[in-house]
Amino acid sequence: MRFAIVLLLAAPVFAAAPTTDIKVDQVGYLNNTPKVALVSSKTAAADFAVRTVKDGAVAFRGKLGAPVDDPDSGDRVQAADFSRFTRSGQFYLEVPGVGRSWEFSIGPAVYSRAWYLAMRSYYGQRCGMAVDLGPEFPGYKHEACHLEGAYHASSGKTGPHSSRGGWHDAGDYGRYVVNSGITTGTLLWTWEMFGPRVRTVKLNLPESGNGTPDILNEIRWNLDWMLEMQDDDGGVWHKQTSEQFCGFVMPEKDKLVSYVIGTGSDPFKSSCATGDFAAVMAIAGRVYKPFDAAFAAKCQRAAERAWAWLDQHPNVTFRNPNGVGTGGYGDGDCSDERLWAAAELARTSRGDSYQRYFLEHYSDFRKSIRAAQPQSWGNVANMALWTYALGSGGDAAAVAAIRQDSVNAAEQIVGRTKSNGYRISMTSRDYIWGSNSVAANYGMQLLVANALQANPRYVETAMENLHYLLGRNTFSLSFVTQVGANPFRHPHHRPSGADNNPEPWPGLLSGGPNRGRQDAAMRKLAADLPPAKMYIDEQAAYAANEVAINWNAPLVFLLAGALPAK
Ligand code: G3I
Ligand code: 9MR
Ligand code: ZN
């Protein structure tokens, strides 16, 4: 009896729990941009209201759009469009008969915290030094790790090798040059494209306050490791990892030797790694000049030596040698990596040979800028073409062609996104391993197109993909740890699994739905689920719920595009 009275008294005080049927960007929306939430419910619904968190007052009323079938999720969705509502504050959506949404904000700087966490997550991934996210995140720390490095037999050398620096790739503790390549390139591009917005953001790093912007301090930690992966002849080894994955332990508890691993036969280094390396070092050669000219020059020289090696060894591909079972990042064609190297070198130094190489080869890659399959670790041709155009490369006809290709692709993506039930740029085929990075990379593609030919629709469409990642999806789940009111919680991430903290490490993007179902946890899901539903928030599900540096990077880029312009 007494229990019932307490319940009755309590009922009006605590608002009903949010429903996954109403999908919002749990971070929020900018004031003067399209603002759409989605409703997918068995109950037919007609109206919605935007209410203020503070007192539940109705701030805006609207009608739901006509139901749209979304084959990728199997959901029938109705749009709640409150774009006309522009007031800053904290709100939630209420749909009579369906329920209420998670809370979200409207304001000019709603994405600042998410950007900070997503970018700072790289500090958490640092290898070779003690890391501590406290006092902001007390208990999120690890000791210096993987200090014992050695040349693996497959590298062509023997003996110890320095093992300092770099970022742990993902949920594992390996360090892979190919994946570092697109990651570091994308982060450096974030600086180049959105520098004024992020220059003064303090990431609370050990280096903070040294006069260099923190985003560049963080990126340098990985560049220093990459530099160590270059051999005397200019070639770059593919990866530095243990022979097999370790268990779910903190990094300092992983005592497996961190080997420099090569191809197993002469020339031992791989062309894809060397091409990516050359591209990234060329970017560093221009970006760090104002902050540390000596370091910039060192990067530039390293890029040139890598480039020269590629000339001798254009397509040495990598496969795990016998006895090695860590990530492969194997790619059968390194010509896109080489083109990227040429383009970045040309942008930095304007050397004739890079320019010539690019102009002789770029047309073979023009089809890469298209509305399907954006850039990824295995395909960096877009980066090559864009950097040439963004850097106002010497050949006007090439720049014009690249701009036109980018605009054509962006127009198609914008059109497709409009008719997609979840208003995202994804196609059914895009739900692969790391599909959330496909969404983020479409966003990046649209922001680059906007930089080449300004068009607010490109930016708006980029943001639609961001909304998906931050909760406006079939699960009503924010795919970024500790961001939004209903984030995923069980990443395949060794530190998150091995520490004693209740929540995972912050700012990490989940791989996302993957129709490939390449792990046992995923295979428990029904085989006929629609692709966007092929996801499970379980630690064991590495093919759907791992995190990775190359997935976070386009998220960082996209979020930077949503920060207040300066
Ligand atoms: O691109 C094809 C697509 O055309 C095809 O339709 C589809 C069908 O399954 O497959 C797609 O290829 C997939 C590819 O990822 C897409 O990038 C492969 O099946 C899939 O096996 C491959 O997965 C890679 C995975 O390693 C396994 O090798 C992921 O890209 C890659 O991100 C991931 O990287 C791992 C590292 O090896 C180790 N560290 C963790 C990291 C993240 O999981
Ligand atoms: O933890 C590993 C993850 O980082 C990789 O992406 C994944 C695919 O290569 O493999 C994971 O390791 C698993 C291994 O492949 C099979 N045994 C279980 C491991 C996860 O605990
Ligand atoms: Zn480490």
Side-chain angles (χ1 to χ4, degrees), residues 78-377:
Q78 290 178 270
D81 190 335
F82 52 106
S83 306
R84 283 191 296 122
F85 180 67
T86 58
R87 198 202 322 148
S88 295
Q90 278 179 288
F91 307 95
Y92 61 92
L93 231 77
E94 185 202 52
V95 181
V98 177
R100 56 164 290 174
S101 75
W102 272 277
E103 293 169 4
F104 59 88
S105 301
I106 297 178
V110 289
Y111 300 109
S112 298
R113 175 80 180 156
W115 189 86
Y116 166 81
L117 291 178
M119 184 61 220
R120 196 178 188 228
S121 75
Y122 289 91
Y123 168 51
Q125 294 293 101
R126 283 194 193 186
C127 185
M129 67 172 280
V131 162
D132 190 347
L133 302 189
E136 192 180 358
F137 292 96
Y140 289 78
K141 54 183 179 180
H142 72 70
E143 303 291 314
C145 53
H146 306 110
L147 298 170
E148 195 191 339
Y151 288 103
H152 191 257
S154 61
S155 70
K157 293 204 165 172
T158 52
H161 172 88
S162 118
S163 179
R164 224 185 71 89
W167 296 312
H168 298 142
D169 182 56
D172 66 326
Y173 295 135
R175 287 165 287 171
Y176 306 81
V177 172
V178 162
N179 207 41
S180 275
I182 185 157
T183 302
T184 315
T186 299
L187 294 175
L188 286 168
W189 278 30
T190 305
W191 165 259
E192 290 200 287
M193 199 165 289
F194 302 113
R197 305 178 186 199
V198 300
R199 171 186 277 270
T200 57
V201 179
K202 198 172 162 222
L203 294 172
N204 297 312
L205 310 173
E207 299 84 3
S208 291
N210 66 358
T212 300
D214 267 357
I215 177 175
L216 297 183
N217 279 327
E218 188 50 51
I219 296 170
R220 185 166 175 168
W221 187 260
N222 200 52
L223 290 168
D224 280 333
W225 168 75
M226 288 180 86
L227 286 166
E228 302 271 343
M229 292 297 283
Q230 185 172 39
D231 197 0
D232 301 330
D233 66 358
V236 179
W237 283 288
H238 200 75
K239 63 175 180 176
Q240 183 167 10
T241 74
S242 44
E243 291 184 303
Q244 304 298 335
F245 291 117
C246 69
F248 259 65
V249 297
M250 292 306 282
E252 64 272 22
K253 291 273 158 49
D254 171 21
K255 297 299 182 196
L256 300 173
V257 175
S258 191
Y259 285 111
V260 172
I261 295 179
T263 60
S265 58
D266 191 59
F268 301 103
K269 281 77 65 179
S270 82
S271 306
C272 289
T274 305
D276 282 326
F277 173 99
V280 165
M281 290 303 161
I283 311 175
R286 56 179 187 263
V287 161
Y288 286 86
K289 220 180 207 163
F291 305 105
D292 185 340
F295 177 66
K298 179 179 173 187
C299 294
Q300 174 71 19
R301 275 194 309 277
E304 286 161 8
R305 291 199 301 119
W307 173 259
W309 189 90
L310 277 180
D311 207 33
Q312 305 301 308
H313 311 282
N315 205 35
V316 184
T317 57
F318 179 86
R319 273 184 44 205
N320 265 338
N322 277 340
V324 176
T326 46
Y329 291 115
D331 173 354
D333 182 351
C334 303
S335 59
D336 51 317
E337 284 77 6
R338 195 172 174 204
L339 190 77
W340 188 26
E344 295 291 7
L345 275 158
R347 184 172 173 183
T348 301
S349 69
R350 310 226 158 258
D352 282 349
S353 58
Y354 314 127
Q355 184 79 237
R356 204 176 317 119
Y357 183 91
F358 181 84
L359 291 175
E360 272 166 20
H361 293 92
Y362 84 96
S363 7
D364 302 345
F365 295 88
R366 278 184 58 189
K367 59 189 178 314
S368 172
I369 300 183
R370 57 184 186 272
Q373 293 177 306
Q375 62 283 359
S376 66
W377 64 258

Side-chain angles (χ1 to χ4, degrees), residues 172 245 248 433 492 494 542 546:
D172 66 326
F245 291 117
F248 259 65
W433 194 313
H492 186 86
R494 283 167 172 74
Y542 55 77
E546 190 163 358

